[in-house]
Amino acid sequence: MAPEVSQAVWDAMCQAWGNPSSSHPAGSKAKELIGSARQSLANMLGGRPEDIIFTSGGTEANNMVIHTACRHFHDSQRGTGNSQGIPHIVTSSVEHDSIRLPLEQLGKEGLAEATFVPVSPRSGQAEVDDVLAAIQPNTCLVSLMLANNETGVIMPVAELSQRVCALNRRRAAQGLPRILVHTDAAQMIGKGRVDVQELGVDYLTIVGHKFHGPRIGALYIRSPGTATPLHPMLFGGGQERSFRPGTENTPMIAGLGQAAELVNKNWEAYEAHMRDVRDYLEATLEASFGKQRIRFNSHFKGSKRLCNTCNFSILGPGLQGRRVLAHCKVLLASVGAACHSDKGDRPSPVLLSCGVPPEVAQNALRLSVGRGTTRADVDRAVQDLVQAVEQLERDQAP
């Protein structure tokens, strides 16, 4: 966490310990902090404070959107005499597990259908035309991440929203359910401009620890309960306008608000710094290993990518990403998504779906630079990789 965020969490723990629903001064202080954090998140996204609902994290926010879309589909069918069967959801083949697994579970239970649109090996993106081609009469939701967590490729969400909006006008005339649009912006916030008006989405997922905040999240909904449906998964004390009940975690919410304030003020400087250091990292890798031995897995012609992400493979036998990292002494990195780190040497499904050959994908490493990463840090990390590869090659020599 950023130091300012840690301080905000601590201050809230000490000074705003009251229940936000209570009318006494300690409760009022907590309620005031929550309102301020909600405003900060809205400012960061170009939305309104009433469009922000706090959640335990991105997984809950994503599940809430899927749950809502299915309820919305059934509500839209009631009394029409024009049943479209069960809800259908379109997403990409490279989404986070908190999108993929709920959809697979609903499919197993016969409660919903899902289409996972493959990304193009040319662009690394889920192409808008391919997503639209997957839409069926019973489609009620399209969910496309704003930027991929392994390749860093930025997806064409704004264009998709525009095209779905036009399609919805035609569907309304046919009595078909409205298609809602969601983007998981976990990877993008704090590393580039995120504006819900430009994106045109109905829902956007926010994850605090991805921009130096605490490990909680939030969901943006365009006018929840009026212009855009939102159905709770939990029922209780009525907090968060009953969309997400449960006594609020005031210190973590205060920290999330402070993290959003830092992004509001500094995102352009953060982005420029991370891009400079990431580009230096890529140049240093090529200089140290040779251009023939380094394959960048996130370079797609014509596609933009996050400023901080470098996904690459060191080519050669026995240099699987996990083995290389095991021989590193100072480098802290992942072979792919950190939440999938128990998958052994199996190549990343995301890289395979982007057209990366299996023998290259199994050697993949994902290095991410941050706000505080320096060129000196890069030099140490690359030197560590060099010694790890040399050690592995010595061990393999006959």
Side-chain angles (χ1 to χ4, degrees):
M1 286 197 294
E4 299 93 332
V5 172
S6 299
Q7 188 64 51
V9 171
W10 177 252
D11 289 347
M13 291 176 73
C14 296
Q15 301 166 19
W17 45 265
N19 189 319
S21 298
S22 300
S23 57
H24 52 61
S28 298
K29 175 65 174 175
K31 184 176 182 180
E32 179 186 328
L33 275 181
I34 291 169
S36 176
R38 201 184 307 277
Q39 182 68 63
S40 295
L41 262 71
N43 293 343
M44 179 177 71
L45 301 173
R48 305 174 306 160
E50 55 265 37
D51 296 336
I52 303 294
I53 299 293
F54 293 110
T55 66
S56 61
T59 293
E60 182 186 351
N62 286 346
N63 275 262
M64 188 183 293
V65 170
I66 293 169
H67 167 78
T68 289
C70 292
R71 279 283 308 272
H72 150 73
F73 172 83
H74 290 298
D75 288 350
S76 71
Q77 299 297 291
R78 238 174 242 124
T80 64
N82 184 26
S83 175
Q84 298 294 332
I86 61 174
H88 173 250
I89 294 169
V90 180
T91 189
S92 83
S93 62
V94 297
E95 298 294 315
H96 190 269
D97 277 357
S98 58
I99 291 290
R100 180 179 65 86
L101 292 178
L103 294 179
E104 289 181 354
Q105 185 62 33
L106 288 169
K108 288 175 188 173
E109 296 176 10
L111 298 175
E113 302 171 324
T115 299
F116 296 90
V117 176
V119 294
S120 164
R122 293 183 305 280
S123 66
Q125 296 178 330
E127 303 282 0
V128 172
D129 286 343
D130 293 339
V131 175
L132 293 175
I135 288 174
Q136 302 173 10
N138 58 331
T139 302
C140 59
L141 175 69
V142 171
S143 179
L144 181 62
M145 59 178 17
L146 192 49
N148 184 259
N149 49 316
E150 293 192 39
T151 64
V153 170
I154 297 170
M155 301 290 178
V157 172
E159 181 188 352
L160 177 64
S161 294
Q162 290 174 356
R163 300 275 296 275
V164 170
C165 183
L167 177 60
N168 273 332
R169 288 194 287 270
R170 298 195 295 273
R171 287 171 65 93
Q174 299 169 325
L176 296 176
R178 170 186 168 193
I179 300 170
L180 302 162
V181 179
H182 165 248
T183 189
D184 181 345
Q187 298 298 325
M188 187 75 171
I189 294 173
K191 307 178 189 83
R193 178 177 172 84
V194 178
D195 186 302
V196 291
Q197 307 307 325
E198 292 177 3
L199 292 171
V201 293
D202 298 303
Y203 309 97
L204 183 143
T205 295
I206 303 154
V207 179
H209 65 270
K210 298 296 185 181
F211 54 102
H212 296 260
R215 284 192 169 86
I216 63 164
L219 180 65
Y220 161 85
I221 313 98
R222 188 182 299 277
S223 301
T226 54
T228 306
L230 185 66
H231 295 287
M233 294 194 297
L234 305 173
F235 296 87
Q239 295 86 353
E240 295 297 285
R241 288 164 284 163
S242 293
F243 291 126
R244 204 289 184 183
T247 303
E248 300 91 338
N249 189 346
T250 305
M252 295 299 111
I253 291 173
L256 187 65
Q258 180 60 55
E261 279 295 315
L262 292 173
V263 170
N264 288 339
K265 294 173 184 173
N266 304 308
W267 73 265
E268 290 171 303
Y270 293 154
E271 182 182 30
H273 170 76
M274 285 187 271
R275 177 169 286 110
D276 175 74
V277 176
R278 192 273 314 278
D279 291 348
Y280 177 74
L281 166 63
E282 295 188 347
T284 306
L285 286 168
E286 287 190 330
S288 300
F289 289 98
K291 289 190 177 184
Q292 301 306 311
R293 292 202 69 187
I294 293 290
R295 153 75 188 257
F296 292 113
N297 302 316
S298 49
H299 289 191
F300 295 92
K301 190 174 181 181
S303 294
K304 294 181 180 178
R305 58 186 174 126
L306 292 174
C307 58
N308 74 319
T309 304
C310 174
N311 193 308
F312 66 99
S313 298
I314 305 169
L315 304 181
L319 299 180
Q320 292 89 348
R322 185 176 297 279
R323 296 188 69 196
V324 172
L325 288 179
H327 285 74
C328 287
K329 294 180 170 64
V330 297
L331 178 62
L332 302 176
S334 303
V335 295
C339 39
H340 304 160
S341 58
D342 59 349
K343 303 297 185 186
D345 285 331
R346 281 181 288 170
S348 157
V350 169
L351 295 184
L352 294 178
S353 65
C354 291
V356 178
E359 66 276 11
V360 175
Q362 70 179 359
N363 286 18
L365 295 167
R366 184 189 63 169
L367 301 189
S368 300
V369 304
R371 298 173 188 175
T373 308
T374 64
R375 289 189 172 205
D377 294 330
V378 168
D379 291 336
R380 283 192 295 273
V382 175
Q383 288 166 10
D384 200 19
L385 284 170
V386 169
Q387 71 80 24
V389 169
E390 289 174 347
Q391 180 65 54
L392 280 168
E393 290 178 333
R394 282 196 299 272
D395 293 346
Q396 291 173 175

